[in-house]
Amino acid sequence: MKPTNSPKTYRVKSFGCQMNVYDGERMAEMLGERGIVPAPEGEDADLVVLNTCHIREKAAEKVYSDIGRLTKGKTQDKAPMIAVAGCVAQAEGEEIMARAPAVSMVVGPQAYHRLPEMLDKAVQGERATDTDMPAIAKFAALPERKRTNPASFLTVQEGCDKFCTYCVVPYTRGAEISRPYGDLVTEARKLVDAGAKEITLLGQNVSAWSGEDDKGHAVGLAGLIRDLAKVDGLARIRYTTSHPADMDDDLIAAHGEIDKLMPFLHLPVQAGSDRVLKAMNRSHTADSYLRLLERFRAARPDLALSGDFIVGFPGETDAEFEETLNLVDAVGYAQAFSFKYSPRPGTPAASMEGQVAKEVMDERLQRLQAALNRDQWAFNRATEGRTCEVLVERKGKHPGQWLGKTPWLQSAWFEGDVGIGDLVQVELVEAGPNSLAGRLREHVAA
Ligand code: SAH
Ligand code: SF4
Ligand code: F3S
């Protein structure tokens, strides 16, 4: 590649989970430190970071089609500089370099603190790949948090040791590690100073977080949440994603005790059949999952539940799929994510017998999603008439309209004289399948 001008504008496109979004924000901050500014909406950027996700097939294909779109019909000096980051970069870095000559940088999720150095090389015309996994080193090397959204993310834990047989995350993100307590309290304070009202603690297995508080006492996620709740100006705390195996009594109790901890729990179950769960290497049964939820609901009766599901895991029979539907009926989720099983290279499930036909998966997904949508709408209807606190996150489609989140993570829109970042009382007037129309109660603009 030829040496090129230093990029002046950037765009970071994140395709994956919330941790991937967090990584994208941190990369943007690093580029900002270098004096590179976000490209204005609708304009081409000089540097595009494709922050990829490897969890299912289509996501990786999307990366290649994006590269094609960015470079189509453009000579090298007109095309943007392209960096591929995220989990596809980790898993297929070499392949990307070989298959897409337009890419100048490939950087894995544990190595992106080195993006500025790689950029220097790229400007000199050198292509660079970094997919090392030093994990914790990354955070220390990142710049301070200076700007943020009212609802912010904070990665507290990374990696996964659970090795569910279908999943690439243990390979793309590496082993479970927890960021130190002190660093997290500091970063949370910085986020609040920068305007955050709500912080969602992130981790592939956030409930596996462990550390030592400033007195040297061992603490788990509940202890961390208790201490973060003392941060002045922080109004709401959430966490995601949890694994049923790591949920302890302390965390359950925290839901009943800490007002700032929002009444919402995302706890993936994946399937309703114990045989399938075992083949997935999930360490819970349908029944142990339901009993766990009962304990959470006893601590916090208005808790809204969310989950993840996979249909068509190898060998899943019609009867086993019915067990997933039964579990959904038993829980009554407020929202949920559901996916068709996607064989991932290198995972045990990819070579299991009994791969399920696409048409069967399509039909199962449709039935599951119909049930989940029905329950989501029912949950929304059950909150009609309530007045609750809404965190204003952005402007709505129409002038004077605002969009925010209820404590139960529903989107609510309403009109009134408010601003982004305000916490306001809103009466939920009419429930739709995906959001609620609200009416602003008395509010004195800040
Ligand atoms: N650590 C979290 C989330 C992991 S990825 C957890 O354990 O739940 C998010 C979701 O993607 C998973 O919960 C699962 O439902 C889905 N998923 C992961 N691998 C998949 C695959 N190979 N095919 C389809 N869905 C998958
Ligand atoms: Fe993947 Fe399972 Fe780990 Fe979640 S717990 S990241 S699904 S291996
Ligand atoms: Fe995707 Fe990586 Fe997250 S594979 S779901 S971006 S951990």
Side-chain angles (χ1 to χ4, degrees):
M1 281 198 152
K2 284 187 294 189
T4 174
N5 291 334
S6 237
K8 294 188 180 56
T9 60
Y10 71 82
R11 177 163 296 125
V12 178
K13 290 181 72 176
S14 294
F15 298 92
C17 58
Q18 284 147 317
M19 306 195 59
N20 174 261
V21 173
Y22 172 90
D23 294 342
E25 286 169 3
R26 306 301 321 253
M27 286 189 270
E29 285 166 15
M30 273 190 293
L31 297 172
E33 295 271 304
R34 299 273 303 230
I36 310 175
V37 298
E41 205 154 318
E43 282 180 33
D44 290 345
D46 301 337
L47 166 64
V48 177
V49 180
L50 299 174
N51 189 22
T52 61
C53 171
H54 199 44
I55 204 88
R56 284 167 291 274
E57 258 144 344
K58 274 194 207 125
E61 282 317 306
K62 202 167 161 359
V63 177
Y64 287 110
S65 63
D66 259 41
I67 296 170
R69 198 167 327 119
L70 286 166
T71 52
K72 197 173 171 209
K74 290 186 179 139
T75 53
Q76 201 202 320
D77 42 323
K78 289 274 162 20
M81 184 182 275
I82 300 175
V84 178
C87 290
V88 178
Q90 188 66 41
E92 292 178 17
E94 301 287 323
E95 200 184 320
I96 295 167
M97 274 298 187
R99 192 169 145 186
V103 172
S104 356
M105 290 166 272
V106 166
V107 61
Q110 307 300 16
Y112 64 76
H113 54 294
R114 305 216 186 98
L115 190 62
E117 296 158 41
M118 298 173 79
L119 183 60
D120 288 337
K121 285 194 188 157
V123 171
Q124 298 306 318
E126 258 179 73
R127 302 175 83 201
T129 303
D130 192 338
T131 49
D132 280 357
M133 286 209 175
I136 217 85
K138 166 177 81 188
F139 294 102
L142 296 174
E144 273 192 10
R145 313 293 308 258
K146 290 189 189 122
R147 56 181 183 88
T148 188
N149 302 319
S152 284
F153 294 143
L154 171 55
T155 293
V156 304
Q157 182 278 340
E158 283 219 57
C160 181
D161 298 340
K162 304 285 190 289
F163 290 94
C164 301
T165 52
Y166 49 81
C167 183
V168 288
V169 171
Y171 312 99
T172 60
R173 292 270 168 170
E176 282 177 12
I177 54 124
S178 296
R179 290 182 65 193
Y181 170 94
D183 294 4
L184 297 173
V185 176
T186 306
E187 193 170 325
R189 289 215 179 95
K190 293 256 157 66
L191 284 171
V192 171
D193 289 346
K197 296 284 171 52
E198 171 181 300
I199 293 182
T200 301
L201 308 176
L202 297 181
Q204 267 90 21
N205 278 290
V206 71
S207 40
W209 183 86
S210 66
E212 265 182 20
D213 67 11
D214 42 13
K215 295 185 198 76
H217 298 147
V219 276
L221 184 67
L224 178 66
I225 292 171
R226 279 201 177 84
D227 285 351
L228 291 179
K230 293 177 197 147
V231 172
D232 278 341
L234 179 61
R236 295 173 153 197
I237 301 173
R238 303 180 186 275
Y239 62 91
T240 198
T241 298
S242 310
H243 190 290
D246 297 320
M247 310 304 275
D248 61 15
D249 292 345
D250 205 17
L251 191 59
I252 296 173
H255 274 276
E257 291 161 10
I258 304 172
D259 289 342
K260 290 185 182 181
L261 182 57
M262 290 294 104
F264 186 90
L265 176 66
H266 179 67
L267 192 62
V269 62
Q270 313 299 357
S273 141
D274 290 345
R275 193 204 62 80
V276 172
L277 288 169
K278 193 146 189 268
M280 287 177 162
N281 194 32
R282 300 288 294 184
S283 51
H284 55 86
T285 60
D287 189 53
S288 71
Y289 176 84
L290 289 172
R291 277 187 280 121
L292 182 60
L293 293 188
E294 267 170 34
R295 288 163 62 209
F296 271 96
R297 277 181 162 157
R300 181 81 206 221
D302 72 337
L303 192 73
L305 293 165
S306 161
D308 290 348
F309 295 87
I310 296 176
V311 302
F313 184 81
E316 185 186 67
T317 63
D318 285 337
E320 285 166 343
F321 170 66
E322 294 292 332
E323 294 184 69
T324 299
L325 294 177
N326 293 342
L327 182 131
V328 167
D329 288 347
V331 174
Y333 287 96
Q335 52 164 267
F337 302 94
S338 48
F339 313 99
K340 282 183 269 187
Y341 167 71
S342 166
R344 309 311 293 131
T347 59
S351 51
M352 281 180 188
E353 283 179 18
Q355 300 285 324
V356 174
K358 189 184 160 297
E359 304 73 57
V360 176
M361 286 206 253
D362 286 340
E363 198 248 346
R364 286 183 190 165
L365 188 67
Q366 238 175 32
R367 288 180 63 198
L368 175 60
Q369 290 186 339
L372 292 169
N373 292 343
R374 170 203 69 200
D375 289 351
Q376 178 171 322
W377 201 350
F379 180 86
N380 288 347
R381 274 197 304 267
T383 58
E384 259 178 10
R386 285 204 209 180
T387 296
C388 66
E389 185 191 74
V390 168
L391 173 59
V392 184
E393 293 187 17
R394 55 191 168 87
K395 287 189 171 156
K397 270 191 228 129
H398 306 290
Q401 199 183 64
W402 300 90
L403 207 75
K405 291 273 162 60
T406 71
W408 307 284
L409 209 64
Q410 300 152 295
S411 291
W413 51 272
F414 60 93
E415 288 174 4
D417 182 18
V418 301
I420 289 171
D422 288 352
L423 284 156
V424 296
Q425 292 292 317
V426 172
E427 184 188 341
L428 303 175
V429 179
E430 198 189 335
N434 301 310
S435 66
L436 292 114
R439 185 183 303 123
L440 182 67
R441 304 296 292 251
E442 257 172 76
H443 172 65
V444 184

